[in-house]
Amino acid sequence: MGTSRNVERRTILKAAGATAATLGLAATTGCGGGSGSGDGTVTLRYAWWGGEPRTIAIKKTIALFEKKYPKIKIKPEFTDYQAFWEKFQTQASGGNPPDVFQNAVGFLRKYDKRGVLMDLKTQADAGNLDLENFRNGVLANGQVDGKQIGIPVGANTMALVIDLKAFEKAGVEAKFGWTWDEYFDALQTIQDKLKIAGDTGYFTIMYLYDLYLRQNGKAFFTDSDLGFTDDDLTQWWEDGYKRVKSGLVADPKKIEQVAPKSGLSAGLAASEFTWDNFSIRYEGEGESDYGLAPIPTTDGKDTGQYLGSLMLSAFSGTKHPKEVAQFISFMVHDPEVGKIMGYDRGILATTEQYDAFKPTDANNKGVAAYEDEVAEAGVLGKITPHPSGADVIEAAFLRLGGEIAQGKTKPADAAKALFSEAKAAFAG
């Protein structure tokens, strides 16, 4: 890695308090696709998921866009993550999805396969969409089989959030290049000295397992299948369950009892793996200080990390492709939009917005510093492919991992079940 800087010094989080993912917003309803009026005004439906802070910010950006393009009106639709995709599935099946919508890599191939997503390269070629100035190669995240079906609005990477006070009190340090053995040794020291678990449940997180596989020359997905064996997964889950039994990983029943609060911020464990831009939640929920620490490695160097992203996609059947492209281009490049959105959806994806937004709170500064340090370490690779059905498999991985943690399913049986469910998901 070439660096042993103390992560606490570089990336300490001091959150303002609000969580990044407040749920429970009522979904708005909208019938029909984008529409036009007699005076030439066009109306586009724009849908996203997220909490109230995101919705407030996005509505401000919509107002900016409508001021610049008075002949284009935006009709917002928003809800929480699960309800969004349930509704979108119904809309797509009925040929009535929104003109523009928030998207993620796990859904690209699924809806491209069904002909729902527009190839936005056509609008870029027509001069309606700017595909320049995307940072760190993140534009490739929205590409499938030579088509540009998603335009990134932000970028994030997996990180380890740690309880800084617990790590300091136990006398252990998180640093770039540490191995999995060193990580688990540190957690054992914390358990021995502080009598709390080291981790909240690492082995149930699909994207963390993907990093572990990448460290070992594999990946969770190939273009059309799983990139590992059931023996690989059985070993991963067996090791995880042993750590639950030993107390190194927190009791899943206790984790459930404090939900929706995190087990880390509830003081049940000293660390938790998550996406770096989700880390704002911990200071708002907990009573300690929290920091972003490096992903453990197999070889002391390769973390397997890559930049993921939220994106904007467009309906292939929209009646207003030019206006849709103009809207997306504005939303990913306009500097004022960047200032309004900040890092709500990850580190801003284009140079215009990244340069325009200067975080003032230590929370966002910590996320930016973490991603800068990961980039400087030279460990970032390309995102792994996500075949159609990836979203179903992610949900199955989380569910089966939870059953293992509670002793309801044996790891080998869970691995067989995942492969069976994956086969069905890929065929769907």
Side-chain angles (χ1 to χ4, degrees), residues 302-381:
D302 183 15
T303 65
Q305 285 170 279
Y306 51 82
L307 291 179
S309 63
L310 287 181
M311 313 174 204
L312 296 181
S313 290
F315 175 37
S316 59
T318 180
K319 297 177 182 178
H320 307 290
K322 176 182 177 180
E323 290 81 0
V324 161
Q326 290 173 325
F327 178 69
I328 292 176
S329 197
F330 182 86
M331 287 298 173
V332 299
H333 289 287
D334 184 80
E336 291 303 313
V337 169
K339 291 178 183 179
I340 292 170
M341 295 307 304
Y343 295 161
D344 176 83
R345 298 176 295 190
I347 300 294
L348 293 156
T350 60
T351 55
E352 297 97 325
Q353 294 190 345
Y354 181 81
D355 292 341
F357 177 68
K358 301 299 182 184
T360 56
D361 64 292
N363 216 359
N364 281 322
K365 286 181 178 179
V367 176
Y370 178 77
E371 288 205 10
D372 285 345
E373 192 157 354
V374 170
E376 289 170 9
V379 298
L380 288 174

Side-chain angles (χ1 to χ4, degrees), residues 252-284:
K253 293 181 180 178
K254 292 183 179 179
I255 296 290
E256 282 188 354
Q257 289 171 358
V258 300
K261 180 183 283 191
S262 159
L264 173 61
S265 50
L268 297 177
S271 67
E272 179 166 283
F273 291 93
T274 189
W275 295 102
D276 58 4
N277 65 309
F278 292 177
S279 58
I280 186 174
R281 69 177 293 190
Y282 298 98
E283 290 272 4

